[in-house]
């Protein structure tokens, strides 16, 4: 097998997760270039992948400034608001692109990206990693086998742990709509994608409720300081206290977001001035901390998506009620479970799930790398998330946000037609 050569753009959390795949599977992929502005991240990445100096760039702009194509593929792991411009340029230069989700936080840009990739005949695959996990593949197989009968009602919960909520959506990268996007898009485009992938039916209409209810100054403990490192009197009783969360041994997410120098001391130092040392009640966050979306499918089935940022355990849980059986599922690092409760016989059936590999997102991080490699080699599997398919899940997230803000019910046919008109204009 000849390895696929790739360039990673953005050597942060995601860039390293995919980079690790190449290090562990050198016969499948080689990382031959990088674009990353942060010198510590860049140099560490160059060292790990042994990248030649002429393929090391300070940013995507300088990598893509000239017309020569430096590899057949690029993995775009920059932050959400950089995705559109950089990906357009990558496609125009002839790269096949694996793009992190969300495609872009601006509604019309999503349609433009899809159209550009199709026009140019380039691969544009989106990192909906859940599709590539044993859990979701098993769940999809059960539903599509007809074992639960016609699907009538689904409740799907994205239970963010309280510390992940605070890390990413209060203190960190996705805290503000202006710099990232609405949380229902950033966090739940995966959930919309996986639901559509399993249901194979379109949503006819939806509504949504939610708000930023907890992470506000009025909920701060009495006397709370602006930073946890300023001798906060609530330190012992606050579950978000930063030194307890971050100044500890370990590596990987979320510790490396605080500092890529992997010591407790470096992290403690970073907490004194960086984002992650801030009191969660005194941040510049404006995205919601809980939201629900109610959807009615074309065949009348209903689906409720609950996104909640106060979970004790990071997991997705779900209940699917069909005409023949009820399915209960839990997707969690502590263990995956799917059980079927057959209505006629009362039998409870455990659905076997293949063990996850050790990669992130329940095995999805490495699963998507293999799928991308197969796609660029001309053998796409049936899980592949084309940009066209991804567009539909993104549209649901944008429609949900519109419904939440306007307190309205969004008709998805009208919403899609409106987008088409805007994209053509
Ligand atoms: N698929 C998933 O489940 C999943 C999970 C987490 C994050 N994401 C997505 O992955 C993307 C990256 O997230 P992350 O957690 O790795 O963030 P990150 O902040 O750790 O990494 C982003 C990197 O991009 C670099 N960067 C900034 N400007 C750049 C430029 N001009 N050119 C090149 N690089 C630049 C930053 O310095 C940083 O190292 C986001 O779009 C995010 O939404 C997806």
């Amino acid at each position: 097998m000849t390895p696929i050569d790739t360039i990673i753009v953005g050597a942060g959390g995601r860039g390293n997760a995919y980079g690790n795949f190449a290090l562990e599977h050198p016969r499948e992929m080689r990382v031959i270039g990088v674009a990353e502005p942060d010198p510590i991240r860049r140099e560490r990445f160059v060292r790990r992948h042994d990248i030649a100096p002429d393929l090391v760039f300070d940013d995507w702009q300088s990598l893509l400034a000239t017309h020569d194509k430096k590899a057949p593929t690029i993995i775009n792991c920059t932050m959400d608001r950089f995705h559109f411009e950089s990906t357009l340029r990558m496609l125009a230069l002839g790269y096949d692109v694996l793009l992190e989700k969300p495609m872009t936080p601006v509604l019309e840009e999503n349609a433009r990206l899809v159209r550009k990739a199709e026009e140019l005949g380039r691969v544009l695959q989106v990192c909906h990693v859940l599709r590539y996990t044993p859990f979701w593949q098993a769940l999809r197989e059960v539903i599509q086998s007809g074992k639960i009968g016609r699907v009538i009602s689904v409740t799907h919960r994205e239970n963010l742990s309280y510390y992940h909520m605070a890390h990413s959506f209060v203190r960190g990268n996705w805290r503000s709509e202006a710099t990232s996007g609405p949380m229902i898009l950033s966090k739940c485009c995966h959930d919309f994608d996986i639901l559509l992938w399993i249901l194979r039916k379109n949503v006819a209409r939806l509504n949504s409720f939610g708000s930023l209810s907890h992470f506000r100054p009025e909920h701060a403990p009495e006397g709370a300081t602006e930073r946890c490192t300023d001798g906060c009197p609530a330190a012992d009783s606050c579950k978000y206290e930063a030194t307890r969360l971050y100044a500890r041994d370990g590596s990987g997410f979320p510790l490396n977001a605080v500092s890529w120098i992997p010591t407790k001391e470096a992290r403690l130092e970073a907490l004194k001035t960086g984002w992650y040392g801030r009191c969660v009640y005194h941040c510049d966050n404006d995205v919601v901390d809980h939201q629900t979306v109610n959807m009615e499918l074309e065949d009348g089935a209903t689906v409720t998506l609950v996104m909640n940022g106060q979970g004790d355990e990071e997991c997705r849980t779900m209940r699917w009620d069909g005409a023949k059986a009820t399915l209960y599922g839990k997707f969690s690092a502590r263990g995956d479970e799917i059980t079927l409760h057959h209505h006629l016989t009362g039998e409870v059936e455990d659905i076997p799930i293949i063990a996850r590999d050790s990669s992130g997102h329940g095995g999805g991080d490495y699963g998507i790398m293999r799928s991308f490699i197969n796609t660029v080699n001309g053998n796409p599997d049936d899980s592949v998330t084309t940009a066209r398919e991804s567009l539909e899940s993104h549209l649901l997230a944008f429609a949900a946000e519109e419904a939440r803000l306007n307190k309205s019910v969004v008709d998805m046919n009208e919403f899609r037609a409106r987008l088409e008109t805007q994209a053509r204009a």
Side-chain angles (χ1 to χ4, degrees):
M1 182 177 196
T2 314
I4 288 276
D5 285 347
T6 200
I7 297 174
I8 290 196
V9 178
R14 302 307 299 158
N16 276 279
Y18 299 134
N20 287 344
F21 173 85
L23 292 176
E24 288 173 30
H25 303 94
R27 296 200 317 174
E28 295 173 62
M29 176 171 272
R30 279 194 319 164
V31 177
I32 60 157
V34 66
E36 166 60 54
D38 181 299
I40 295 178
R41 294 178 182 200
R42 189 175 58 240
E43 278 151 32
R44 176 181 178 275
F45 199 85
V46 166
R47 248 191 342 269
R48 296 187 82 214
H49 292 272
D50 196 17
I51 297 173
D54 60 330
L55 289 174
V56 179
F57 300 87
D58 287 353
D59 48 33
W60 67 263
Q61 292 88 338
S62 47
L63 163 69
L64 305 174
T66 55
H67 285 276
D68 57 323
K69 190 173 148 193
K70 299 170 177 73
T73 68
I74 286 195
I75 305 181
N76 191 345
C77 300
T78 54
M79 268 294 292
D80 315 9
R81 296 247 164 215
F82 293 124
H83 289 179
F84 177 63
E85 261 191 72
S86 58
T87 305
L88 268 190
R89 179 86 183 136
M90 289 165 191
L91 294 169
L93 289 180
Y95 290 98
D96 286 331
V97 182
L98 181 64
L99 172 62
E100 258 306 351
K101 50 59 46 181
M103 285 197 282
T104 131
V106 178
L107 175 59
E108 306 77 46
E109 289 177 357
N110 288 279
R112 286 181 58 197
L113 268 188
V114 174
R115 196 176 289 177
K116 182 54 80 179
E118 289 176 350
E119 246 170 59
L120 295 169
R122 296 258 63 91
V123 171
L124 174 57
Q125 193 170 339
V126 181
C127 290
H128 288 301
V129 286
L130 297 183
R131 288 189 181 208
Y132 308 94
T133 62
F135 175 88
W136 291 101
Q137 289 182 349
L139 177 50
R140 182 184 188 230
E141 212 173 291
V142 172
I143 301 301
Q144 291 181 0
S145 72
K147 268 189 162 184
I148 78 161
R150 196 165 69 83
V151 174
I152 293 167
S153 166
V154 181
T155 311
H156 170 107
R157 293 186 60 99
E158 159 60 315
N159 310 295
L160 272 121
S161 61
Y162 68 90
Y163 49 87
H164 185 183
M165 174 77 211
H167 175 82
S168 294
F169 301 95
V170 180
R171 289 172 162 140
N173 269 340
W174 296 275
R175 67 188 183 278
S176 140
E177 169 123 22
T179 53
S180 53
M183 183 170 168
I184 198 72
L185 174 73
S186 326
K187 194 73 205 79
C188 288
C189 62
H190 279 320
D191 300 276
F192 290 118
D193 175 71
I194 207 81
L195 286 164
L196 290 176
W197 184 58
I198 297 172
L199 286 160
R200 296 197 288 198
K201 292 196 178 78
N202 275 333
V203 173
R205 55 193 189 133
L206 58 76
N207 71 6
S208 180
F209 300 94
S211 61
L212 171 56
S213 79
H214 185 64
F215 298 96
R216 297 171 167 279
E218 60 267 33
H219 294 133
E222 207 174 318
T225 51
E226 297 280 321
R227 288 190 163 273
C228 301
T229 46
D230 290 345
C232 181
D236 289 345
S237 58
C238 179
K239 66 187 184 188
Y240 302 107
E241 200 278 317
T243 59
R244 200 164 50 240
L245 289 179
Y246 299 115
R248 58 181 169 85
D249 288 324
S251 58
F253 178 86
L255 302 182
N256 55 15
V258 178
S259 169
W260 280 82
I261 303 170
T263 63
K264 279 199 265 193
E265 293 69 30
R267 288 189 197 115
L268 191 55
E269 210 41 45
L271 292 178
K272 292 180 186 162
T273 52
W275 288 349
Y276 299 96
R278 296 180 296 176
C279 171
V280 294
Y281 302 101
H282 292 122
C283 284
D284 53 348
N285 56 310
D286 60 18
V287 300
V288 301
D289 50 25
H290 65 123
Q291 188 165 347
T292 58
V293 185
N294 293 309
M295 294 168 266
E296 187 175 50
L297 305 190
E298 284 164 339
D299 68 349
T302 50
V303 180
T304 302
L305 164 65
V306 179
M307 174 181 80
N308 161 46
Q310 285 291 352
D312 59 324
E313 179 189 354
E314 181 86 6
C315 61
R316 286 178 166 92
T317 47
M318 69 272 343
R319 171 180 174 141
W320 290 60
D321 286 294
K324 294 187 191 163
T326 297
L327 176 151
Y328 295 92
K330 181 172 181 183
F331 175 66
S332 159
R334 293 190 198 161
D336 292 335
E337 292 162 24
I338 301 176
T339 52
L340 284 192
H341 296 240
H342 294 278
H343 297 166
L344 184 64
T345 60
E347 181 204 350
V348 178
E349 181 185 352
D350 286 327
I351 301 296
I353 305 169
I354 301 165
R356 307 161 160 223
D357 70 28
S358 60
S359 73
H361 294 103
D365 284 0
Y366 285 8
I368 197 159
M369 297 309 289
R370 294 220 159 84
S371 171
F372 181 56
I373 292 168
N374 290 338
T375 306
V376 296
N377 280 334
N379 309 308
D381 52 63
D382 86 324
S383 304
V384 72
T385 326
T386 61
R388 173 69 56 189
E389 264 188 82
S390 186
L391 181 61
E392 186 60 28
S393 56
H394 284 52
L395 288 196
L396 291 179
F398 284 105
E401 190 60 359
E402 181 175 301
R404 180 182 79 84
L405 293 171
N406 296 347
K407 300 182 172 36
S408 61
V409 174
V410 173
D411 178 304
M412 285 308 298
N413 279 336
E414 283 172 17
F415 194 83
R416 288 183 201 103
R418 205 187 332 142
L419 178 68
E420 271 305 308
T421 314
Q422 280 165 358
R424 269 198 301 271

